[in-house]
Structure formats: C-alpha cells, structure tokens
Amino acid sequence: MFDALIGPFIQFDFMRRALFGALVLALGAGPVGVFLMLRRMSLTGDAMAHAILPGAAIGFLIAGLSLPAMTLGGLTAGIVVAVLSGLVTRYTVLKEDASLAAFYLLSLALGVTIVSLRGSSVDLMHVLFGSVLALDDAALILIACITSVTLLILAATYRGLVMECVDPMYLRSVARIGTPLHLVFLGLVVLNLVGGFQALGTLLAVGLMMLPAATARFWSADVTMMVIIAVATGMFSGMGGLLLSYHHGLPAGPAIILVAGIAYLISLFLGRESGLIRAALPRRHLEA
C-alpha cells in the first residue's frame, strides 16, 4: 500500500514536481472557487478560462512553448475579456452571461486557430489540456507566486467578499468598495486560471477551481469551512489524479479533474447539506 501511494513520489522527480504544483494550485484556486460559486459566477470562471487562450496562443506563436510569453499573453487576454464583457454588459442590452458567452466562444475559436497556424496537434493538446507531469522550476515558481498573492489579497478582502456574497446591496450602501472589490476578485480569478493553465491547460484549469468548491457546499454552509473543505478536496484530487495516471496510464490533467468530479458526485448523494440521500431521509420533528 505504501509503495502504491507514496512510492511514485519518492522514486520520480517529475511526480514530486507535479504533486507540488497540484497542491499549490489547490491552495489558491479552492478559496477563489468558493467565492465564485457563492456569487453565482461559476460559469464566469469557465468563460474566463477560455478567454486566456488567445493570449497564450499568441505567446506560443511568437516564442513557442515559452512560459513567460504564454503567461503574459494569457494574463493580458483574460484582463481584456473581463473589461470588454463588463463594458458590453453596462452599455448594451446584453446581460453578463450573454456577453461572456460571446467572448468565450470567440476566444476558444481564435485561440485554437492561432495555435494551429504554427503548431502541431501535440502543441494544441499541450495548450488545451496542459502538461502537469512536465512542470519545471519556472512553472512551479510562477504557480507558487500566484497562490501567495491570492492568499494575501483574500486575507485582506475576506470580510468584504463574504459581505458581498451575503448582502451586496448593504455593502454598497455602507461603503463604495463594491466595484473595486469585484474587479480585484476578477483579477484573482484570471491569475489563478493562468497558473492552472500551466498544469491543466485552458479547458481543465477551471475544474480544480469549481469542482472542489461545489463539493464543499454539500458538506457545510459556513464560508470558512467551505474554503477549508475545497482546498482539502483539491489537494486530494491532485494526489489521487496523479496516482491514477501513474498506475493506469491515464493523462494526468484529466485524471485530476476526474477524481475531483468523483468527489463531487459522492458529495451530491451523501453530503450533509442537501445531499440527495440525506434529503430523501425522513427528518425528526422541527429538524431544519
């Protein structure tokens, strides 16, 4: 049992790097995912994940599989799409979901086209699905820096974010920080998606953000506890997915998201907060 669970990480350096990257990603992406879910912006995270694709693709077109170029391109594209979708929502009849959907489809098509102009199908798969087993020192440092910045900003804005989830109108009535807080939070979403892009690609980066958060909601109604459960679920999914990939020859990135999805399905049925099985059981008199 020890050899099956711990052996691969002791024997192989690339497995240790992948595990470190997955654990650090989960530490930053978990809390961001919880607030995305509580703010009913889960699909916004998915749209933003695809929004970084054209920028990363342009970086790839200019410099190949260069970490700085693809990171800078992805970060720029994500910020541009966030700003443009906000402007469209504010000055036209389109709602936020419609404008994000439009930019999401355009970004995905444009990014795939740009990569296809120069790269092979292998390069396209790398951009779309990442390469968690090939993380180098530069990628790990980038992921660690993004997570550190995320945790520091979340610590500074935690009360405001919780208040905006619970009663945004009250927050706007007592303080004028609603809009700046929203923009800062969108910046954190883009940052963590750029970090996740290095390991999981644009199509799966949002999975490590949203699936653990959705899982946590079935076990607790307390925001702090949800954050803790989401981080723990993300870390478990990272380790479990890497072991699944190692022992059964599966692609590592999809295996990580698959484990997170299994955790979500188990919680959907067994969770103490509105899990399907618990909800179907008869309750005691006056039990909430």
Side-chain angles (χ1 to χ4, degrees), residues 27-53:
L27 185 60
V32 174
V34 168
F35 284 111
L36 270 175
M37 177 188 64
L38 293 177
R39 292 156 67 101
R40 300 181 180 179
M41 295 173 60
S42 300
L43 291 179
T44 299
D46 187 51
M48 295 305 298
H50 294 84
I52 69 175
L53 180 55

Side-chain angles (χ1 to χ4, degrees), residues 37-117:
M37 177 188 64
L38 293 177
R39 292 156 67 101
R40 300 181 180 179
M41 295 173 60
S42 300
L43 291 179
T44 299
D46 187 51
M48 295 305 298
H50 294 84
I52 69 175
L53 180 55
I58 292 174
F60 169 78
L61 192 64
I62 295 173
L65 293 174
S66 166
L67 177 65
M70 295 179 69
T71 299
L72 181 60
L75 185 61
T76 302
I79 294 174
V80 168
V81 168
V83 172
L84 288 178
S85 63
L87 292 175
V88 169
T89 302
R90 182 169 183 176
Y91 293 110
T92 72
V93 296
L94 286 181
K95 300 297 184 182
E96 186 176 34
D97 59 340
S99 63
L100 279 172
F103 282 112
Y104 148 70
L105 294 170
L106 179 62
S107 299
L108 181 59
L110 181 60
V112 171
T113 302
I114 292 173
V115 175
S116 301
L117 288 176

Side-chain angles (χ1 to χ4, degrees), residues 29 31-42 44-45 150 153-154 157 161 164-165 178-192 209-210:
V32 174
V34 168
F35 284 111
L36 270 175
M37 177 188 64
L38 293 177
R39 292 156 67 101
R40 300 181 180 179
M41 295 173 60
S42 300
T44 299
T150 298
I153 294 178
L154 285 177
T157 60
L161 288 172
E164 191 174 28
C165 293
T179 299
L181 198 62
H182 180 71
L183 294 176
V184 169
F185 179 70
L186 283 180
L188 289 182
V189 173
V190 173
L191 267 179
N192 281 271
M209 186 177 290
M210 296 314 309

Side-chain angles (χ1 to χ4, degrees), residues 135-273:
L135 293 175
D136 56 13
D137 289 343
L140 292 178
I141 291 173
L142 173 67
I143 292 171
C145 289
I146 288 174
T147 296
S148 299
V149 170
T150 298
L151 294 178
L152 287 173
I153 294 178
L154 285 177
T157 60
Y158 185 80
R159 293 182 63 183
L161 288 172
V162 172
M163 181 58 67
E164 191 174 28
C165 293
V166 175
D167 193 345
M169 297 303 296
Y170 174 76
L171 181 65
R172 293 172 188 172
S173 67
V174 299
R176 297 182 178 179
I177 63 171
T179 299
L181 198 62
H182 180 71
L183 294 176
V184 169
F185 179 70
L186 283 180
L188 289 182
V189 173
V190 173
L191 267 179
N192 281 271
L193 289 174
V194 169
F197 160 77
Q198 306 299 332
L200 301 172
T202 58
L203 294 185
L204 297 177
V206 73
L208 200 60
M209 186 177 290
M210 296 314 309
L211 284 172
T215 298
R217 183 62 186 88
F218 285 112
W219 296 103
S220 178
D222 178 75
V223 177
T224 302
M225 186 55 63
M226 276 192 279
V227 168
I228 295 172
I229 295 173
V231 170
T233 303
M235 290 182 170
F236 170 81
S237 301
M239 184 174 182
L242 290 172
L243 290 173
L244 189 64
S245 170
Y246 176 81
H247 290 297
H248 299 283
L250 300 177
I256 291 173
I257 304 306
L258 181 61
V259 173
I262 292 173
Y264 167 76
L265 292 175
I266 292 174
S267 302
L268 174 64
F269 285 96
L270 302 179
R272 56 181 295 183
E273 294 287 337

